[in-house]
Amino acid sequence: MVSNKLHPSVEQFREFVNNHPKLKKELRSNRENLQHYYEKWLLLGEDDPFFDDYRSDDHHDQSQEKKSTDKKEWMNQFVHMVDQVNWENINGHIHHLNGALGNLQTLVKQFQEMKSSPKGPGNNNFPFLKD
């Protein structure tokens, strides 16, 4: 006996359509779009914004609630991560970096002064080099 079972992904799409009356109505009015919507669903997934227009208000509210919960969870993780930062250690690194930048500025200033000073036989900018 031959079984008429559909592929599992087709069954899932069928269930998705049945749970979204607006999409179901759209597909009934224009069956030519069925393949298009199935491919979108298969590639993008049912939570993709492409399907937002076909969601009932209840499902849309649940989706928004899920997004809000995800944002809160992300913020909690971020706050926890910031709490774990050793600010004293970072302050020390900033202090050392500031000192290094100060030394670099002094060095650049000295080279600029050497470059702009007059050069003559009696004014050797590099005393360790002999004439």
Side-chain angles (χ1 to χ4, degrees):
M1 182 170 184
V2 176
S3 175
N4 286 335
K5 281 193 165 192
L6 296 173
H7 190 273
S9 66
V10 175
E11 284 290 339
Q12 290 172 345
F13 179 67
R14 185 180 194 184
E15 184 179 321
F16 174 73
V17 170
N18 285 331
N19 290 333
H20 297 82
K22 293 177 185 177
L23 179 59
K24 189 174 186 178
K25 184 178 179 182
E26 169 78 23
L27 292 175
R28 282 188 176 169
S29 68
N30 188 357
R31 288 207 174 263
E32 293 174 6
N33 286 337
L34 182 63
Q35 183 68 30
H36 171 74
Y37 283 97
Y38 173 71
E39 289 173 357
K40 288 281 189 185
W41 175 83
L42 199 59
L43 293 173
L44 303 174
E46 63 185 53
D47 293 328
D48 192 77
F50 175 81
F51 293 108
D52 283 352
D53 293 340
Y54 302 105
R55 298 187 201 291
S56 65
D57 291 337
D58 292 341
H59 187 271
H60 187 67
D61 290 343
Q62 290 173 356
S63 178
Q64 291 295 343
E65 188 176 309
K66 181 182 177 197
K67 288 178 184 176
S68 176
T69 302
D70 289 346
K71 287 180 184 178
K72 287 178 184 175
E73 190 175 307
W74 180 84
M75 283 300 291
N76 286 338
Q77 289 176 349
F78 180 74
V79 168
H80 178 70
M81 184 178 67
V82 169
D83 285 343
Q84 298 298 318
V85 172
N86 184 345
W87 294 107
E88 302 257 341
N89 195 8
I90 289 179
N91 192 31
H93 288 302
I94 291 172
H95 180 71
H96 288 297
L97 182 60
N98 193 24
L101 289 174
N103 290 340
L104 184 61
Q105 286 176 330
T106 303
L107 187 61
V108 168
K109 185 178 178 181
Q110 287 175 352
F111 278 121
Q112 287 175 340
E113 288 173 356
M114 287 177 11
K115 185 177 179 184
S116 65
S117 66
K119 296 178 181 161
N123 191 2
N124 190 354
N125 288 330
F126 301 102
F128 53 88
L129 296 177
K130 295 185 180 178
D131 289 331

